[in-house]
PDB file of all heavy atoms in Angstrom:
ATOM      1  N   ALA O  32      37.382  24.862  -3.605  1.00  0.00           N
ATOM      2  CA  ALA O  32      38.322  23.679  -3.996  1.00  0.00           C
ATOM      3  C   ALA O  32      39.271  24.065  -5.097  1.00  0.00           C
ATOM      4  O   ALA O  32      40.450  23.654  -5.104  1.00  0.00           O
ATOM      5  CB  ALA O  32      37.423  22.517  -4.450  1.00  0.00           C
ATOM      6  N   LEU O  33      38.859  24.912  -5.963  1.00  0.00           N
ATOM      7  CA  LEU O  33      39.638  25.337  -7.087  1.00  0.00           C
ATOM      8  C   LEU O  33      40.993  25.995  -6.568  1.00  0.00           C
ATOM      9  O   LEU O  33      41.988  26.047  -7.286  1.00  0.00           O
ATOM     10  CB  LEU O  33      38.963  26.312  -8.074  1.00  0.00           C
ATOM     11  CG  LEU O  33      37.725  25.637  -8.728  1.00  0.00           C
ATOM     12  CD1 LEU O  33      37.026  26.717  -9.532  1.00  0.00           C
ATOM     13  CD2 LEU O  33      38.152  24.530  -9.588  1.00  0.00           C
ATOM     14  N   ALA O  34      40.793  26.686  -5.373  1.00  0.00           N
ATOM     15  CA  ALA O  34      41.892  27.437  -4.885  1.00  0.00           C
ATOM     16  C   ALA O  34      42.983  26.616  -4.256  1.00  0.00           C
ATOM     17  O   ALA O  34      44.085  27.023  -4.114  1.00  0.00           O
ATOM     18  CB  ALA O  34      41.411  28.373  -3.835  1.00  0.00           C
ATOM     19  N   VAL O  35      42.758  25.389  -3.916  1.00  0.00           N
ATOM     20  CA  VAL O  35      43.735  24.516  -3.279  1.00  0.00           C
ATOM     21  C   VAL O  35      44.651  24.032  -4.362  1.00  0.00           C
ATOM     22  O   VAL O  35      44.323  23.155  -5.047  1.00  0.00           O
ATOM     23  CB  VAL O  35      43.116  23.342  -2.483  1.00  0.00           C
ATOM     24  CG1 VAL O  35      44.137  22.538  -1.799  1.00  0.00           C
ATOM     25  CG2 VAL O  35      42.026  23.891  -1.485  1.00  0.00           C
ATOM     26  N   ALA O  36      45.850  24.521  -4.349  1.00  0.00           N
ATOM     27  CA  ALA O  36      46.756  24.326  -5.429  1.00  0.00           C
ATOM     28  C   ALA O  36      47.006  22.807  -5.651  1.00  0.00           C
ATOM     29  O   ALA O  36      47.292  22.096  -4.644  1.00  0.00           O
ATOM     30  CB  ALA O  36      48.029  25.034  -5.200  1.00  0.00           C
ATOM     31  N   GLY O  37      46.940  22.299  -6.813  1.00  0.00           N
ATOM     32  CA  GLY O  37      47.227  21.010  -7.160  1.00  0.00           C
ATOM     33  C   GLY O  37      46.303  19.935  -6.610  1.00  0.00           C
ATOM     34  O   GLY O  37      46.660  18.744  -6.553  1.00  0.00           O
ATOM     35  N   VAL O  38      45.158  20.353  -6.130  1.00  0.00           N
ATOM     36  CA  VAL O  38      44.245  19.377  -5.479  1.00  0.00           C
ATOM     37  C   VAL O  38      43.153  19.007  -6.429  1.00  0.00           C
ATOM     38  O   VAL O  38      42.936  17.798  -6.737  1.00  0.00           O
ATOM     39  CB  VAL O  38      43.587  19.890  -4.177  1.00  0.00           C
ATOM     40  CG1 VAL O  38      42.749  18.877  -3.624  1.00  0.00           C
ATOM     41  CG2 VAL O  38      44.789  20.120  -3.196  1.00  0.00           C
ATOM     42  N   GLY O  39      42.535  19.962  -7.008  1.00  0.00           N
ATOM     43  CA  GLY O  39      41.510  19.672  -8.024  1.00  0.00           C
ATOM     44  C   GLY O  39      40.131  19.193  -7.464  1.00  0.00           C
ATOM     45  O   GLY O  39      39.272  19.972  -7.461  1.00  0.00           O
ATOM     46  N   THR O  40      40.103  17.941  -7.034  1.00  0.00           N
ATOM     47  CA  THR O  40      38.784  17.464  -6.712  1.00  0.00           C
ATOM     48  C   THR O  40      38.416  17.535  -5.248  1.00  0.00           C
ATOM     49  O   THR O  40      37.302  17.367  -4.856  1.00  0.00           O
ATOM     50  CB  THR O  40      38.721  15.981  -7.122  1.00  0.00           C
ATOM     51  OG1 THR O  40      39.770  15.251  -6.505  1.00  0.00           O
ATOM     52  CG2 THR O  40      38.689  15.755  -8.611  1.00  0.00           C
ATOM     53  N   THR O  41      39.423  17.764  -4.356  1.00  0.00           N
ATOM     54  CA  THR O  41      39.112  17.860  -2.947  1.00  0.00           C
ATOM     55  C   THR O  41      38.341  19.097  -2.582  1.00  0.00           C
ATOM     56  O   THR O  41      38.743  20.204  -3.147  1.00  0.00           O
ATOM     57  CB  THR O  41      40.396  17.758  -2.114  1.00  0.00           C
ATOM     58  OG1 THR O  41      41.310  16.918  -2.690  1.00  0.00           O
ATOM     59  CG2 THR O  41      40.095  17.321  -0.680  1.00  0.00           C
ATOM     60  N   LEU O  42      37.302  18.990  -1.865  1.00  0.00           N
ATOM     61  CA  LEU O  42      36.507  20.176  -1.534  1.00  0.00           C
ATOM     62  C   LEU O  42      37.042  20.754  -0.165  1.00  0.00           C
ATOM     63  O   LEU O  42      37.322  20.068   0.720  1.00  0.00           O
ATOM     64  CB  LEU O  42      35.028  19.804  -1.388  1.00  0.00           C
ATOM     65  CG  LEU O  42      34.393  19.274  -2.626  1.00  0.00           C
ATOM     66  CD1 LEU O  42      32.963  18.984  -2.427  1.00  0.00           C
ATOM     67  CD2 LEU O  42      34.568  20.210  -3.816  1.00  0.00           C
ATOM     68  N   LEU O  43      37.040  22.109  -0.178  1.00  0.00           N
ATOM     69  CA  LEU O  43      37.215  22.760   1.147  1.00  0.00           C
ATOM     70  C   LEU O  43      35.946  22.558   1.973  1.00  0.00           C
ATOM     71  O   LEU O  43      34.948  22.353   1.348  1.00  0.00           O
ATOM     72  CB  LEU O  43      37.423  24.219   0.919  1.00  0.00           C
ATOM     73  CG  LEU O  43      38.879  24.659   0.538  1.00  0.00           C
ATOM     74  CD1 LEU O  43      38.792  26.257   0.260  1.00  0.00           C
ATOM     75  CD2 LEU O  43      39.794  24.447   1.640  1.00  0.00           C
ATOM     76  N   PRO O  44      36.072  22.633   3.267  1.00  0.00           N
ATOM     77  CA  PRO O  44      34.801  22.390   4.060  1.00  0.00           C
ATOM     78  C   PRO O  44      33.889  23.558   3.739  1.00  0.00           C
ATOM     79  O   PRO O  44      34.272  24.628   3.458  1.00  0.00           O
ATOM     80  CB  PRO O  44      35.292  22.610   5.528  1.00  0.00           C
ATOM     81  CG  PRO O  44      36.840  22.594   5.411  1.00  0.00           C
ATOM     82  CD  PRO O  44      37.261  22.869   4.061  1.00  0.00           C
ATOM     83  N   ALA O  45      32.525  23.203   3.793  1.00  0.00           N
ATOM     84  CA  ALA O  45      31.520  24.214   3.658  1.00  0.00           C
ATOM     85  C   ALA O  45      31.746  25.272   4.721  1.00  0.00           C
ATOM     86  O   ALA O  45      32.002  24.930   5.851  1.00  0.00           O
ATOM     87  CB  ALA O  45      30.140  23.648   3.770  1.00  0.00           C
ATOM     88  N   PRO O  46      31.602  26.562   4.436  1.00  0.00           N
ATOM     89  CA  PRO O  46      31.777  27.608   5.408  1.00  0.00           C
ATOM     90  C   PRO O  46      30.808  27.443   6.552  1.00  0.00           C
ATOM     91  O   PRO O  46      29.628  27.045   6.268  1.00  0.00           O
ATOM     92  CB  PRO O  46      31.615  28.921   4.691  1.00  0.00           C
ATOM     93  CG  PRO O  46      31.168  28.542   3.316  1.00  0.00           C
ATOM     94  CD  PRO O  46      31.353  27.093   3.061  1.00  0.00           C
ATOM     95  N   GLY O  47      31.230  27.722   7.704  1.00  0.00           N
ATOM     96  CA  GLY O  47      30.281  27.755   8.885  1.00  0.00           C
ATOM     97  C   GLY O  47      29.935  26.438   9.465  1.00  0.00           C
ATOM     98  O   GLY O  47      29.120  26.297  10.258  1.00  0.00           O
ATOM     99  N   GLU O  48      30.693  25.436   9.053  1.00  0.00           N
ATOM    100  CA  GLU O  48      30.386  24.040   9.621  1.00  0.00           C
ATOM    101  C   GLU O  48      31.576  23.521  10.464  1.00  0.00           C
ATOM    102  O   GLU O  48      32.514  22.991   9.900  1.00  0.00           O
ATOM    103  CB  GLU O  48      29.961  23.079   8.546  1.00  0.00           C
ATOM    104  CG  GLU O  48      28.651  23.323   7.925  1.00  0.00           C
ATOM    105  CD  GLU O  48      28.195  22.446   6.797  1.00  0.00           C
ATOM    106  OE1 GLU O  48      28.854  21.341   6.659  1.00  0.00           O
ATOM    107  OE2 GLU O  48      27.213  22.815   6.231  1.00  0.00           O
ATOM    108  N   ALA O  49      31.463  23.768  11.780  1.00  0.00           N
ATOM    109  CA  ALA O  49      32.519  23.383  12.682  1.00  0.00           C
ATOM    110  C   ALA O  49      32.777  21.860  12.502  1.00  0.00           C
ATOM    111  O   ALA O  49      31.794  21.067  12.329  1.00  0.00           O
ATOM    112  CB  ALA O  49      32.141  23.671  14.159  1.00  0.00           C
TER     113      ALA O  49
END
Side-chain angles (χ1 to χ4, degrees):
L33 298 175
V35 182
V38 178
T40 53
T41 322
L42 298 183
L43 277 175
E48 287 179 14

